[in-house]
Amino acid sequence: MAGSGRRPEHRGPPELFYDEAEARKYTQNSRVVEIQSQMSERAVELLGLPEDRPCLLLDVGCGSGLSGDYISEEGHYWIGMDISPAMLDVAVEREVEGDLLLADVGHGIPFRPGMFDGCISISAVQWLCNADKKSHSPPKRLYRFFSTLYTALARGSRAVLQLYPENSEQLELITAQAMRAGFTGGMVVDYPNSAKAKKFFLCLFVGASGTLPKGLGTECADEELHQAKFTNERTRFKNIKGKSVKKSRDWILEKKERRRRQGKEVRADTKYTGRKRRPRF
């Protein structure tokens, strides 16, 4: 159930749709990468994670690890699940920092109770509404997914699932099974009046019910103005937190240090680390 950053065309089960060619095409598409990064950033923002400590997150339908890249950049750890071997192969080649698990989430989340501080999912959950096999029952698969996800999340945490519902009935089915499994919360819709920018985020609470965040673009008539304002505020907030500029020397050194803490082999730091090479003629 790999998230591609675009509305998927349902041509068979996801493990067949996202074959090796599709997996590489999506991961190398700069537009897909940009959209995936934006939706991942919004999903993590909606999780409301504490700023004073790193968290362990579950990425459902992690695909080639594009959303996981953003989680790592924010200083958190993650485990990704996906049903597509081709997508996970690309993630391994890209040397993502999270751990990867080949699994069908319609069979449940196979982790111990309370293990995760939060869960995100980009463009994946709607695949559970498909009956790709005779044995598949979308309501049962959705309930199995949500009930085991509820157990795997720590009390007081959240799950934020970005999805592309095909219609209102599908949206109602997904939401109903989530609530039946014990979650509270609801749908956050960003830019509801825009055909292209409109995004659905199912924001779910574990345990105590929280206040549902407001969707972006819901309080301003001029959507483009609101978009620009939000972007500026987010950039300013990041600068306050002291985040290093992406791809800078400091950013690279921080990423290498995280990999060392995870026990991975990393090249030694030198004066050339992070230095841009001159163009060759």
Side-chain angles (χ1 to χ4, degrees), residues 4-8 31-32 34-40 42-43 46 121-123 126 160-165 171 186-203 213-218 223 227:
S4 65
R6 71 175 179 92
R7 185 184 300 275
R31 178 60 179 159
V32 167
E34 180 185 0
I35 295 174
Q36 185 90 354
S37 179
Q38 290 173 355
M39 292 194 296
S40 302
R42 177 63 169 150
L46 290 170
S121 178
I122 307 299
S123 315
Q126 71 275 348
V160 176
L161 316 174
Q162 183 275 328
L163 62 150
Y164 288 114
L171 202 59
M187 197 66 66
V188 176
V189 184
D190 286 354
Y191 307 108
N193 300 319
S194 170
K196 295 184 70 174
K198 187 176 183 178
K199 293 291 183 293
F200 292 88
F201 293 88
L202 184 56
C203 189
K214 290 185 178 180
L216 302 178
T218 58
E223 198 165 283
Q227 173 87 35

Side-chain angles (χ1 to χ4, degrees), residues 96-228:
V96 298
E97 296 186 24
D99 293 320
L100 305 170
L101 175 65
L102 176 65
D104 178 357
V105 297
H107 294 161
I109 305 298
F111 294 101
R112 61 181 173 79
M115 179 170 173
F116 295 99
D117 301 305
C119 168
I120 70 165
S121 178
I122 307 299
S123 315
V125 175
Q126 71 275 348
W127 287 99
L128 289 173
C129 296
N130 297 345
D132 297 314
K133 300 177 181 177
K134 286 185 177 180
S135 59
H136 282 182
S137 166
K140 289 182 179 179
R141 284 169 59 77
L142 282 164
Y143 179 71
R144 179 67 179 166
F145 163 63
F146 282 119
S147 59
T148 52
L149 175 62
Y150 187 93
T151 301
L153 290 170
R155 299 297 83 109
S157 63
R158 299 182 186 181
V160 176
L161 316 174
Q162 183 275 328
L163 62 150
Y164 288 114
E166 290 187 349
N167 48 50
S168 58
E169 289 78 13
Q170 194 177 85
L171 202 59
E172 187 175 340
L173 172 63
I174 293 171
T175 305
Q177 295 306 315
M179 301 307 162
R180 183 182 165 217
F183 286 105
T184 56
M187 197 66 66
V188 176
V189 184
D190 286 354
Y191 307 108
N193 300 319
S194 170
K196 295 184 70 174
K198 187 176 183 178
K199 293 291 183 293
F200 292 88
F201 293 88
L202 184 56
C203 189
L204 303 172
F205 304 103
V206 181
S209 180
T211 303
L212 199 64
K214 290 185 178 180
L216 302 178
T218 58
E219 298 176 350
C220 182
D222 188 342
E223 198 165 283
E224 291 184 0
L225 180 63
H226 192 95
Q227 173 87 35

